[in-house]
Amino acid sequence: MATEQIKEYLEGSPFQPFKIVSVDGHEVEVPHPDYVSIGPGGRTAVVWKSNGGFAVFDMALVTRLEFAQPE
């Protein structure tokens, strides 16, 4: 389910930044669709961070996606 939901969020028009939150509480901001790469099987996602690092998520361990709150 998380894979399909991420794809929907990435394809939204206009795009809205969101967070991916895993079962252990780890969260990563997705500021733009180009920052996410979903593996061919849809089980893994890589999110590139603006500082040049990255986070790898097992999609089975993603608990929720949250749209960023407007400032």
Side-chain angles (χ1 to χ4, degrees), residues 31-52:
H32 188 275
D34 290 346
Y35 282 60
V36 178
S37 178
I38 298 174
R43 179 166 174 146
T44 306
V46 176
V47 180
W48 296 97
K49 298 179 182 182
S50 48
N51 67 3

Side-chain angles (χ1 to χ4, degrees), residues 1 3 8 10 14-15 26 33-34 42 44 46 58 64 66 68:
M1 179 176 101
T3 302
E8 287 178 26
L10 293 173
F15 174 79
H26 185 76
D34 290 346
T44 306
V46 176
D58 179 333
R64 67 184 184 277
E66 298 177 355

Side-chain angles (χ1 to χ4, degrees), residues 11-28:
E11 295 169 359
S13 182
F15 174 79
Q16 293 181 319
F18 63 95
K19 277 193 246 183
I20 299 174
V21 183
S22 68
V23 71
D24 65 357
H26 185 76
E27 41 184 71
V28 173

